[in-house]
């Protein structure tokens, strides 16, 4: 917080070729300088090292056998500023519907680009990569090299879209890197939709999402065994809509840390994930329209529902949420009665056909109090008969959360 001036005595004249070392003693209110040493700089040669160029992480496709690459376009999209190279050969312009042999003895195929908008101009105007032979293809590289391969690590991504890029690529076994933290609306929509050989997903580090950014991203990836971490705390409309729908090999779900939701943010997110045995915690206490709409519908291995701690509901928020979860045996929903009755269809079909599997010997429904239970029971669309307190094997508990 203070500025002081020190007058240093006994400093030798500075001359070229010498090194000067000053010993500093730092005290509470003072810095003293002493022990000035003057020496010659030593000279010599550094040996044993070599200079190597850091390789650009182009999008690279590798196949053990002969394969064919092709790009198709939809709704008038025009491919521009995109190049390919086979077996590290010369770069050539990618043209729509032109088949390019690679794989096996032909070597790998690399892509690079200089188009800041990616491979799509809108959610419904895009290009798609197609592999025409039944030969597995592995993919590596950084997606940003399609935006500006020379400056990929600093390129802006806020306008980049790759909608449907690998849709229905049933031979794709691995995914490229998606390191962008600034996303465009619908940027990865349906990117891996129907990639039935994909077993793992790329990291998704973005913490602030954009409308529809992950919509249908891994839908029907039936071999996907694990989901990436989803660290986002700022959600957007339709951001996770249908993201893992139909991923029948997915056994666990990622954490969902967001506490402020957006309309349709989690709609259908895990619907049809028949191997999912546990659900993530849902931390929000104030919900948004359609936020959990059919989120776990058809998850036939799910035995316990996540605690629904929200006290402020929204229209259709729990609509169909656990419909068809036939092994479900425990549900906790802590909304007060006035919210249950005022939010339109908030609990419609949320337990339809849930807990109906023969392996379920008992069911437990926990609600805030008797008036909340009555609000559910009085609406014929809200509480199936097997989840009512007079049903065989069903227990209704009144539960007040700890402060």
């Amino acid at each position: 917080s203070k500025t002081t001036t020190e007058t240093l005595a006994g400093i030798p004249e500075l001359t070229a070729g010498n090194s000067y070392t000053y010993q500093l003693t730092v005290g509470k209110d003072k810095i003293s300088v002493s022990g000035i040493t003057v020496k010659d700089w030593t000279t010599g040669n550094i040996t044993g090292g070599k200079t190597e160029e850091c390789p650009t992480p182009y999008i690279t496709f590798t196949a053990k056998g002969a394969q064919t690459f092709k790009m198709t376009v939809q709704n008038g999209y025009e491919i521009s500023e995109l190049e390919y190279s086979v077996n590290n050969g010369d770069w050539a312009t990618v043209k729509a519907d032109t088949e390019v042999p690679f794989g096996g003895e032909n070597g790998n195929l690399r892509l690079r680009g200089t188009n800041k908008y990616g491979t799509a101009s809108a959610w419904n105007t895009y290009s798609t990569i197609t592999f025409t032979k039944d030969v597995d293809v592995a993919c590596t590289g950084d997606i940003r090299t399609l935006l500006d391969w020379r400056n990929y690590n600093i390129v802006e991504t806020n306008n980049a879209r790759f909608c449907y890029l690998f849709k229905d690529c049933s031979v794709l076994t691995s995914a490229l890197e998606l390191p962008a933290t600034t996303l465009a609306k619908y940027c990865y929509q349906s990117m891996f939709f129907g990639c039935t050989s994909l077993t793992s997903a790329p990291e998704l580090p973005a913490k602030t999402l954009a409308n529809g950014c992950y919509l249908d991203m891994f839908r029907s990836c039936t071999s996907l065994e694990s989901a990436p971490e989803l660290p986002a705390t700022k959600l957007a409309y339709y951001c996770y809509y249908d993201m893992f729908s139909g991923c029948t090999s997915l056994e666990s779900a990622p954490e969902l840390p967001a506490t402020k939701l957006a309309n349709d943010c989690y709609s259908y997110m895990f619907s049809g994930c028949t191997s999912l045995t546990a659900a993530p915690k849902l931390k929000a206490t104030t919900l948004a329209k359609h936020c959990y709409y059919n989120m776990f519908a058809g998850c036939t291995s799910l035995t316990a529902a996540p605690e629904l701690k929200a006290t402020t509901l929204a229209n259709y928020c729990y609509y169909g949420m656990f419909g068809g979860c036939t092994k479900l045996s425990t549900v906790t929903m802590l909304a007060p009665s006035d919210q249950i009755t005022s939010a339109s269809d908030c609990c419609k079909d949320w337990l339809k056909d849930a807990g109906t599997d023969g392996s379920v010997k008992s069911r437990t429904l926990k609600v805030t109090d008797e008036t909340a239970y009555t609000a559910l029971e009085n609406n014929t669309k809200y509480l199936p008969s097997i989840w009512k307190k007079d049903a065989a094997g069903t227990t209704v508990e009144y539960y007040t959360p700890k402060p």
Side-chain angles (χ1 to χ4, degrees):
S1 61
K2 298 180 181 179
T3 300
T4 62
T5 302
E6 293 286 342
T7 302
L8 306 181
I11 299 178
E13 182 180 356
L14 300 179
T15 58
N18 291 330
S19 68
Y20 297 80
T21 303
Y22 299 82
Q23 180 176 318
L24 305 182
T25 302
V26 181
K28 179 179 179 181
D29 300 313
K30 181 180 179 180
I31 298 177
S32 59
V33 183
S34 61
I36 301 171
T37 305
V38 183
K39 291 183 177 181
D40 292 335
W41 287 103
T42 56
T43 61
N45 297 320
I46 298 175
T47 60
K50 61 180 180 179
T51 301
E52 293 184 352
E53 181 181 357
C54 182
T56 303
Y58 299 119
I59 305 306
T60 303
F61 300 107
T62 306
K64 293 183 178 179
Q67 183 57 276
T68 302
F69 166 92
K70 182 174 70 171
M71 290 197 77
T72 59
V73 296
Q74 298 293 329
N75 299 323
Y77 181 77
E78 295 184 4
I79 299 173
S80 64
E81 301 174 274
L82 189 63
E83 297 178 319
Y84 72 90
S85 168
V86 176
N87 200 23
N88 298 322
D90 294 338
W91 292 93
T93 301
V94 174
K95 296 181 179 179
D97 299 316
T98 299
E99 295 188 356
V100 181
F102 77 101
E105 295 180 355
N106 293 321
N108 61 23
L109 184 146
R110 297 180 297 167
L111 287 180
R112 72 181 187 186
T114 53
N115 186 339
K116 66 180 181 180
Y117 298 107
T119 57
S121 58
W123 69 270
N124 61 347
T125 308
Y126 54 86
S127 56
T128 299
I129 292 173
T130 301
F131 301 110
T132 61
K133 299 181 183 297
D134 188 20
V135 176
D136 287 349
V137 177
C139 180
T140 59
D142 189 326
I143 192 71
R144 297 174 299 174
T145 59
L146 300 186
L147 306 177
D148 184 350
W149 62 269
R150 294 183 181 89
N151 303 291
Y152 71 93
N153 57 334
I154 58 172
V155 66
E156 293 184 355
T157 58
N158 57 307
N159 292 307
R161 292 182 177 85
F162 303 97
C163 313
Y164 298 92
L165 185 59
F166 296 102
K167 185 177 185 294
D168 293 328
C169 284
S170 60
V171 297
L172 189 72
T173 59
S174 60
L176 70 181
E177 297 174 21
L178 304 174
T181 55
T182 302
L183 306 183
K185 293 180 180 179
Y186 305 99
C187 54
Y188 300 135
Q189 178 185 351
S190 300
M191 190 175 186
F192 300 102
F193 190 146
C195 292
T196 53
S197 296
L198 193 67
T199 58
S200 61
E203 294 182 8
L204 300 172
K207 294 185 178 181
T208 299
L209 305 188
N211 292 355
C213 56
Y214 299 138
L215 190 154
D216 283 334
M217 189 175 183
F218 300 102
R219 184 176 178 182
S220 298
C221 290
T222 52
S223 297
L224 192 68
E225 298 174 351
S226 61
E229 292 184 9
L230 299 175
T233 54
K234 186 174 182 180
L235 307 187
Y237 295 158
Y238 298 95
C239 57
Y240 293 125
Y241 191 104
D242 250 344
M243 187 177 184
F244 300 103
S245 176
C247 292
T248 53
S249 297
L250 191 67
E251 296 182 357
S252 60
E255 292 184 15
L256 300 175
T259 56
K260 185 176 181 179
L261 307 187
N263 291 355
D264 288 278
C265 55
Y266 296 127
S267 293
Y268 292 97
M269 188 176 184
F270 300 103
S271 64
C273 291
T274 53
S275 297
L276 191 68
T277 58
K281 292 181 179 180
L282 302 175
K283 301 179 180 181
T285 57
T286 298
L287 304 188
K289 186 178 178 181
H290 291 98
C291 58
Y292 298 134
Y293 192 99
N294 284 295
M295 186 177 183
F296 299 101
C299 291
T300 53
S301 297
L302 193 66
T303 58
E307 183 179 281
L308 305 178
K309 61 178 63 179
T311 53
T312 302
L313 305 187
N315 295 348
Y316 314 101
C317 57
Y318 295 140
Y319 191 119
M321 189 175 184
F322 303 110
C325 293
T326 55
K327 293 183 180 179
L328 196 66
S329 61
T330 304
V331 179
T332 300
M333 200 270 283
L334 305 181
S337 59
D338 63 326
Q339 292 292 308
I340 296 171
T341 56
S342 62
S344 296
D345 285 337
C346 59
C347 295
K348 182 180 179 181
D349 293 339
W350 71 311
L351 294 175
K352 183 179 181 181
D353 297 325
T356 57
D357 190 275
S359 63
V360 180
K361 303 304 180 183
S362 62
R363 290 167 295 275
T364 301
L365 174 65
K366 298 181 182 181
V367 292
T368 301
D369 51 30
E370 186 173 1
T371 59
Y373 172 79
T374 301
L376 291 171
E377 187 181 42
N378 287 344
N379 192 318
T380 58
K381 302 175 183 178
Y382 284 6
L383 206 59
S385 58
I386 66 169
W387 285 92
K388 294 181 179 181
K389 58 184 177 182
D390 57 351
T394 297
T395 300
V396 175
E397 297 179 2
Y398 302 135
Y399 174 79
T400 300
K402 296 179 181 180

